[in-house]
Amino acid sequence: MPLARSPNAARHIRAKTESFAKSRFASDATGHDWFHTDRVRRTALRLARAEKADAFVVELAALLHDVADAKFHGGDEKAGERVARRFLLQQKLDDATVDRVCAIVSEVSFKGARVRTPVSSIESACVQDADRLDAMGAIGVARAFTLGGHWGRLMHDPTIKPQPHASLSAYRKSQRSGKSTTLNHFFEKLFLLKDRLRTPTAKKIAKDRHRVMRVFVKQFLNEWNGRT
Ligand code: ADP
Ligand code: NI
């Protein structure tokens, strides 16, 4: 067992990682706040239990998955992994575990409707699924409109059609440009998520969350078009 895996050392590193993540999200109003990270951690651990994945690695990666999100760091896709690595190396964690956690942080993000986002471990699948589940359902709806508002996007504009982004740069550009709408984001990402989840438990949880988003968008368009 690497030194950091003794129960006491592991508890200490988990607590330090939690404080670090909390400090990074002290004043976030984009839907990427500490509570998002905490929900992702809890869901990821639930998936990890079902998949018999390494809970220590899953928990550290979930706590660190958004500490330097590229969309808030000038599009620097490596920022998250770099910040996570620098922090973990200060915690005297063995190199192999640091590498496993950082790989998960680098794999977590959605990159566009037509872009594959492979994972290199079952632990990575648990964190990626947990992050995606938090973009779905009632909380997913709330987060989309929170971030859309933060970026100055319109809720909806019937003249602007959803785009199936074929590259990460196209996806990021559309996120920043404000030329698309939050309602389009459901078609560009959120409705696609249920078919991209990897673990059986996440797929089961996703059914209800997907249905809630469908009902929401249907009702939104009915009201918009005077059909209710
Ligand atoms: P990830 O968390 O995989 O890095 P994203 O950056 O795509 O993925 O999304 C994170 C959160 O921000 C999600 O809840 C998502 O719905 C919301 N979001 C992302 N892009 C948009 C957008 N263009 N309009 C509204 N919400 C968005
Ligand atoms: Ni996230």
Side-chain angles (χ1 to χ4, degrees):
M1 189 194 305
L3 196 58
R5 296 304 190 90
S6 73
N8 267 343
R11 205 172 310 124
H12 180 68
I13 290 178
R14 273 203 308 269
K16 293 270 294 250
T17 310
E18 179 171 327
S19 310
F20 177 67
K22 263 189 192 151
S23 72
R24 304 276 305 182
F25 299 117
S27 61
D28 180 285
T30 68
H32 290 75
D33 48 65
W34 159 250
F35 294 108
H36 162 65
T37 289
D38 194 34
R39 287 190 303 271
V40 170
R41 182 236 306 248
R42 274 186 280 126
T43 307
L45 284 173
R46 177 175 166 194
L47 303 180
R49 267 193 304 278
E51 296 300 318
K52 304 202 183 345
D54 184 333
F56 181 64
V57 167
V58 165
E59 185 162 5
L60 294 189
L63 285 168
L64 294 171
H65 86 277
D66 266 344
V67 288
D69 192 318
K71 58 187 167 301
F72 304 118
H73 284 76
D76 179 356
E77 300 296 333
K78 294 256 177 248
E81 191 184 341
R82 215 171 39 239
V83 171
R85 184 174 298 278
R86 197 183 316 134
F87 168 78
L88 290 173
L89 288 174
Q90 287 162 1
Q91 311 310 313
K92 300 195 183 73
L93 195 57
D94 60 286
D95 289 354
T97 308
V98 172
D99 285 346
R100 289 172 71 199
V101 172
C102 290
I104 298 174
V105 172
S106 73
E107 289 167 357
V108 72
S109 269
F110 185 81
K111 297 183 167 61
R114 298 220 185 118
V115 186
R116 289 181 64 245
T117 47
V119 290
S120 56
S121 64
I122 185 62
E123 287 75 22
S124 193
C126 293
V127 178
Q128 195 187 75
D129 278 4
D131 191 35
R132 289 174 182 195
L133 283 172
D134 207 57
M136 301 178 70
I139 287 181
V141 171
R143 288 184 70 216
F145 284 96
T146 300
L147 191 55
H150 175 77
W151 278 336
R153 290 176 150 228
L154 281 176
M155 290 196 297
H156 179 47
D157 178 342
T159 66
I160 304 174
K161 299 296 171 206
Q163 301 294 326
H165 301 109
S167 69
L168 174 60
S169 57
Y171 180 61
R172 291 281 186 242
K173 202 165 147 218
S174 101
Q175 284 184 319
R176 284 190 302 269
S177 72
K179 290 212 181 81
S180 192
T181 66
T182 298
L183 205 77
N184 280 349
H185 186 62
F186 286 82
F187 298 92
E188 292 168 348
K189 173 183 175 187
L190 303 180
F191 288 153
L192 311 178
L193 292 176
K194 79 168 177 32
D195 293 326
R196 297 184 172 211
L197 297 168
R198 297 162 192 285
T199 63
T201 312
K203 287 180 191 175
K204 213 180 293 163
I205 299 170
K207 282 198 178 126
D208 203 40
R209 297 189 186 192
H210 184 78
R211 185 188 55 76
V212 166
M213 294 192 296
R214 280 274 175 212
V215 168
F216 171 82
V217 169
K218 188 164 176 234
Q219 176 73 12
F220 183 106
L221 290 172
N222 279 344
E223 292 174 17
W224 190 280
N225 294 314
R227 287 199 293 257
T228 61

